[in-house]
Amino acid sequence: MISPDLEVNHMDIVIYLFDGITALDAIGPYEVLTRLPGARVRFVGPERGTARTDNGALALVCDAGRDEIERADILLMPGGFGTRRLEHDAGLLEWVQRIDRTTSTTMSVCTGAMVLAAAGLLEGREATTHWVSLERLSEYGAIPRAQRVVTSGKYLTAAGVSAGIDMALEFAARTAGAELAMSVQLGIEYDPAPPFDCGSVQKAPPEIVESIRARFREHS
Amino acid sequence: MISPDLEVNHMDIVIYLFDGITALDAIGPYEVLTRLPGARVRFVGPERGTARTDNGALALVCDAGRDEIERADILLMPGGFGTRRLEHDAGLLEWVQRIDRTTSTTMSVCTGAMVLAAAGLLEGREATTHWVSLERLSEYGAIPRAQRVVTSGKYLTAAGVSAGIDMALEFAARTAGAELAMSVQLGIEYDPAPPFDCGSVQKAPPEIVESIRARFREHS
């Protein structure tokens, strides 16, 4: 690897899957985290089986059920319309609390932050989530921040969907060094060139912002 | 939706899955394409079952085997180390040729371009792929271009891994209009903020470029 004298310990990464997930929330950061030295990624669901995206188009395999998992170095909670249900899933929230007590980093993408918040992990902490849901973070005592990535102690929260890639690269730089993170960034050829400069609510035309808010309300 | 007077026809999108895939190659563009008006996405493999990523960490479900698929409006071929094998898979290449005859757009991400090229679809055409494999495109008569997205007739090819998101957004703008594409971009909050400016081979330090070339050679 890049730094042959870097001490490589195993880093157990648990990514939670559930019905109603937005796939890119999980797969974006996964594609970065799996390239870290010593990374051992497990995709974990309510039980072994599959988790299907909110639109039904894609199923991801849960290689383990959550009851099989006792600990993790990193816990990643992705988002999607399905998190609305998870906010009230007592069994899941208890599991998240238990695993969080073993992690060095607990992270979320998009509305995955609402699950961490519902588990009480973000109380009094700055955090972010998909812009449509941002203000709801305060219902759980978190302090909403309109940033792409927010760090608060061992908690990393990313904004909507694609923001998990940036979060994971920041994490890679912090834990494995800039050189390793740059290598991962080049490996996944992450030199983004979006066709429009409208990827945040601050930049997009108001009528487009409103149309998305309306569509999300249908799912609430 | 954004444009109520836009005529919505079904758009059948087939994304091919295989063992040794890089997940983000498929999931990045999927997350955009599935939001297009009329989109019906199917994840298709050699047969029904699962396809596992090259590192073994993630399995994606193939909801259909390729023999069940007769046509597609859009065919998307992702990349990954597994494409080396696919370049010599006569049954797959024949299927790709057959489906391609029915598509309005055939696209690839990363080394998925090598599969389209091996099927003879890129002969005499400009195309791109992951930078490590770029020159190999010419072995199949394609004209390598070090660009993030290349359009040649109905063929769209994207550079490595993350470039599929940009390709899909460009495609969205072209086929469904700028307003729709902007809405999708804001929906997935794609306002990228990579921590380093090293995501292309033109921008990255030479020693990092060389370390990745060395790692890819191990897989060749």
Side-chain angles (χ1 to χ4, degrees):
Chain A
M1 298 293 291
I2 309 287
S3 309
D5 49 1
L6 187 73
E7 193 184 345
V8 175
N9 294 311
H10 287 301
M11 184 189 284
D12 285 310
I13 301 167
V14 168
I15 301 178
Y16 193 72
L17 300 177
F18 52 89
D19 283 329
I21 193 175
T22 298
L24 186 54
D25 290 21
I27 304 305
Y30 149 76
E31 207 64 83
V32 172
L33 298 175
T34 191
R35 287 167 167 79
L36 293 180
R40 295 194 296 201
V41 180
R42 298 196 82 179
F43 284 89
V44 174
E47 47 205 32
R48 289 188 188 212
T50 58
R52 203 163 270 279
T53 53
D54 38 31
N55 59 16
L58 172 64
L60 303 160
V61 175
C62 312
D63 283 323
R66 66 184 183 229
D67 288 346
E68 298 173 61
I69 302 296
E70 297 292 326
R71 59 167 302 283
D73 295 303
I74 300 172
L75 172 64
L76 169 63
M77 184 63 64
F81 290 121
T83 59
R84 279 284 193 167
R85 188 174 37 77
L86 301 191
E87 287 176 53
H88 308 287
D89 179 338
L92 171 68
L93 298 180
E94 193 276 329
W95 178 81
V96 167
Q97 291 163 349
R98 194 167 71 239
I99 301 302
D100 174 68
R101 283 195 288 272
T102 73
T103 66
S104 52
T105 304
T106 297
M107 45 177 79
S108 64
V109 178
C110 199
T111 58
M114 303 308 300
V115 180
L116 301 189
L121 304 180
L122 302 180
E123 208 171 324
R125 294 186 177 278
E126 299 191 341
T128 194
T129 182
H130 192 286
W131 58 268
V132 169
S133 300
L134 187 61
E135 291 312 315
R136 284 190 58 240
L137 276 172
S138 57
E139 295 174 16
Y140 294 108
I143 304 158
R145 285 285 174 259
Q147 291 171 213
R148 193 148 178 85
V149 179
V150 172
T151 304
S152 172
K154 74 170 193 177
Y155 298 95
L156 265 73
T157 53
V161 192
S162 64
I165 302 173
D166 297 316
M167 177 185 73
L169 283 168
E170 281 190 27
F171 175 79
R174 203 176 305 160
T175 56
E179 199 178 14
L180 192 284
M182 292 169 78
S183 169
V184 171
Q185 188 176 333
L186 180 60
I188 64 168
E189 210 160 346
Y190 187 48
D191 182 31
F196 305 100
D197 188 18
C198 68
S200 77
V201 72
Q202 290 78 20
K203 297 174 177 175
E207 64 275 17
I208 289 181
V209 172
E210 186 40 46
S211 76
I212 292 179
R213 280 197 204 281
R215 202 157 64 233
F216 273 66
R217 273 194 294 268
E218 290 170 22
H219 284 271
S220 298
Chain B
M1 299 292 291
I2 310 286
S3 309
D5 51 1
L6 186 73
E7 193 184 346
V8 176
N9 294 310
H10 286 301
M11 183 189 286
D12 285 311
I13 301 167
V14 168
I15 301 177
Y16 193 71
L17 300 177
F18 51 90
D19 283 329
I21 193 175
T22 298
L24 186 54
D25 289 21
I27 304 306
Y30 149 76
E31 207 63 82
V32 172
L33 297 174
T34 191
R35 287 168 167 80
L36 293 179
R40 293 194 297 202
V41 180
R42 296 196 82 180
F43 284 88
V44 175
E47 48 205 30
R48 290 188 188 212
T50 59
R52 203 163 269 276
T53 53
D54 38 30
N55 58 15
L58 172 65
L60 303 160
V61 175
C62 312
D63 282 322
R66 67 184 184 228
D67 289 347
E68 300 173 61
I69 303 295
E70 298 291 326
R71 59 168 301 283
D73 296 302
I74 300 172
L75 173 63
L76 169 63
M77 185 62 65
F81 290 121
T83 59
R84 279 283 192 165
R85 186 174 39 78
L86 301 189
E87 288 178 51
H88 309 288
D89 179 338
L92 170 68
L93 299 180
E94 194 276 329
W95 178 81
V96 167
Q97 291 163 348
R98 194 166 72 239
I99 301 301
D100 175 68
R101 284 196 289 272
T102 73
T103 66
S104 51
T105 304
T106 298
M107 46 177 79
S108 65
V109 178
C110 198
T111 58
M114 304 307 299
V115 179
L116 302 188
L121 303 180
L122 301 180
E123 208 172 325
R125 294 187 178 277
E126 299 190 341
T128 194
T129 183
H130 192 286
W131 58 269
V132 169
S133 299
L134 188 61
E135 291 313 314
R136 285 190 58 238
L137 276 172
S138 58
E139 294 174 16
Y140 294 108
I143 304 159
R145 286 284 174 263
Q147 292 170 213
R148 193 149 178 85
V149 179
V150 173
T151 304
S152 173
K154 76 171 191 178
Y155 299 96
L156 265 73
T157 52
V161 192
S162 64
I165 302 172
D166 297 316
M167 176 185 74
L169 283 169
E170 281 190 27
F171 175 79
R174 203 177 304 160
T175 56
E179 199 178 13
L180 191 286
M182 292 170 76
S183 169
V184 172
Q185 188 176 333
L186 180 61
I188 64 168
E189 210 159 346
Y190 187 47
D191 183 31
F196 305 100
D197 189 18
C198 69
S200 77
V201 72
Q202 291 78 21
K203 297 173 177 175
E207 64 275 16
I208 289 181
V209 172
E210 186 41 45
S211 76
I212 293 179
R213 279 197 204 281
R215 202 157 64 232
F216 272 67
R217 274 194 293 268
E218 290 170 23
H219 285 272
S220 297

